[in-house]
Amino acid sequence: MNSIWAVVPAAGSGRRLGGEIPKQYREIAGAPLMEHTLRALLESPDIRGIVVALDPSDRRADAINSLADVRVQTTPGGAERADSVMAGLELLAQQGSEDDWVLVHDAARPCLPLESLTELIDRARQSGEGVILAEPVADTLKQVAENGQISATVDRQSLWRAQTPQLFPLFALRAALGRCLEEGLSVTDEAMAMERAGKPVHVVEGPSSNIKVTVEADLAFADLVLRKRGGQ
Ligand code: CTP
Ligand code: MG
C-alpha cells in the first residue's frame, strides 16, 4: 500500500431531509455538517489527499473552510452517488499510482471517530484486502409480504449494516465501479461493486454513532454526538 486517498461524495440534494439548504451544509455543533466530516478525515496523517465531489450548481462550498486545506481538491459530482464517487476516482487515477488505496466516505457522516478510521486503515494494511466499517444489526428483522403480513423472521446473526468509510485499492475500485455503471446497476456502496467483481471485502465494526444524516432527527443526534465529543 503506497498512498491512501479519500473520495467524499457531497453532491446530493438531501431530498429526504428536505429544507432550503442541502443537508451537508446544515449547521450542527457549531459548523456546517460537511466541515465535521472533512475534519475527521484531515485528522488522519495516513490520508494523503481528499477529493470532494460537489454539485456543479453548488454555491455554498466557499463557506467550508476545510475545502481550502492543501490536501483537499474538488470535482463536479454526478446524478447518483456512484457517479459522484466515480468522478472522484477518475481524478485520483490521474494523480495516483498503481499501489495506491482510496477510501470513500459520505459527506453526510460527520461523526466518524479517528480511532475507527485508524482501525480501518490498519486492517487493510494487515490483510491487503478491502475493508469497510459496518455494525451488527441489533433489531429483530421481519420479511413482510405485499399484503402487510409477516412471512418470516430473518436471522440477524450474520447481518451487518454497511457504513463508510470503505477502503479499497484505487484502480481495482475504479474498474469495479466503472463496470457496474456501464451495466446500469444501481450500486449503493463501493463494497457492492467489489463483491460483484469477486474481490474479498471485510468488515471492521464501526460505532453506532457513525450515522448517515438522512432525516431531521439524525441532525439532532449528530449534533449531540459531536458536542459530547467536543466536551461541550
Ligand atoms: N451524493 C453525491 N451525489 C449524488 C447523490 C448523493 O455525492 N448524486 C452524496 C450525498 O451528498 C451524501 C452521500 O452521497 O453525502 C450519501 O447519499 P445520501 O445520504 O442519499 O444523500 P442525498 O442523496 O443528498 O439525500 P437524499 O437521498 O435524501 O436525496
Ligand atoms: Mg441519495
Side-chain angles (χ1 to χ4, degrees):
M1 191 182 293
N2 191 4
S3 300
I4 300 172
W5 304 91
V7 168
V8 175
S13 56
R15 212 176 0 87
R16 281 167 290 182
L17 199 137
E20 283 263 300
I21 307 174
K23 62 188 180 187
Q24 55 273 36
Y25 293 106
R26 291 284 291 272
E27 182 110 350
I28 52 166
L33 194 154
M34 192 195 330
E35 191 83 78
H36 296 286
T37 310
L38 294 175
R39 278 183 201 157
L41 296 176
L42 286 167
E43 248 185 283
S44 168
D46 294 315
I47 295 177
R48 176 153 168 207
I50 303 173
V51 177
V52 183
L54 296 173
D55 182 333
S57 67
D58 186 337
R59 297 286 170 270
R60 299 179 200 272
D62 286 349
I64 309 297
N65 294 329
S66 295
L67 288 178
D69 190 284
V70 287
R71 282 193 282 163
V72 180
Q73 46 187 331
T74 64
T75 195
E80 302 293 334
R81 179 184 177 281
D83 302 308
S84 298
V85 170
M86 198 62 198
L89 296 176
E90 291 296 358
L91 186 64
L92 288 175
Q94 294 164 23
Q95 300 169 9
S97 55
E98 203 49 57
D99 56 352
D100 284 357
W101 283 56
V102 65
L103 63 83
V104 178
H105 183 51
D106 292 322
R109 282 187 202 270
C111 303
L112 172 67
L114 180 60
E115 308 84 73
S116 299
L117 177 55
T118 305
E119 198 185 338
L120 184 84
I121 292 171
D122 288 349
R123 199 69 74 82
R125 284 209 167 108
Q126 285 156 16
S127 70
E129 294 179 338
V131 279
I132 71 168
L133 287 190
E135 61 178 309
V137 167
D139 301 306
T140 298
L141 298 176
K142 300 296 183 191
Q143 192 160 7
V144 179
E146 256 175 50
N147 66 0
Q149 186 184 324
I150 293 171
S151 49
T153 299
V154 180
D155 181 13
R156 69 173 181 230
Q157 244 348 47
S158 63
L159 295 180
W160 292 64
R161 289 153 58 105
Q163 302 181 347
T164 70
Q166 304 198 347
L167 177 57
F168 302 102
L170 169 60
F171 284 89
L173 178 60
R174 176 173 166 252
L177 195 59
R179 209 165 307 126
C180 289
L181 292 175
E182 268 170 35
E183 290 171 13
L185 281 170
S186 121
V187 262
T188 48
D189 74 348
E190 290 60 56
M192 184 181 164
M194 295 298 277
E195 291 155 34
R196 283 192 63 90
K199 307 277 195 232
V201 183
H202 302 271
V203 294
V204 166
E205 187 164 347
S208 54
S209 58
N210 182 28
I211 60 158
K212 180 166 72 67
V213 172
T214 307
V215 295
E216 192 70 37
D218 298 335
L219 275 178
F221 179 77
D223 180 81
L224 190 71
V225 169
L226 291 167
R227 282 185 196 277
K228 276 189 101 166
R229 203 178 289 159
Q232 290 174 40

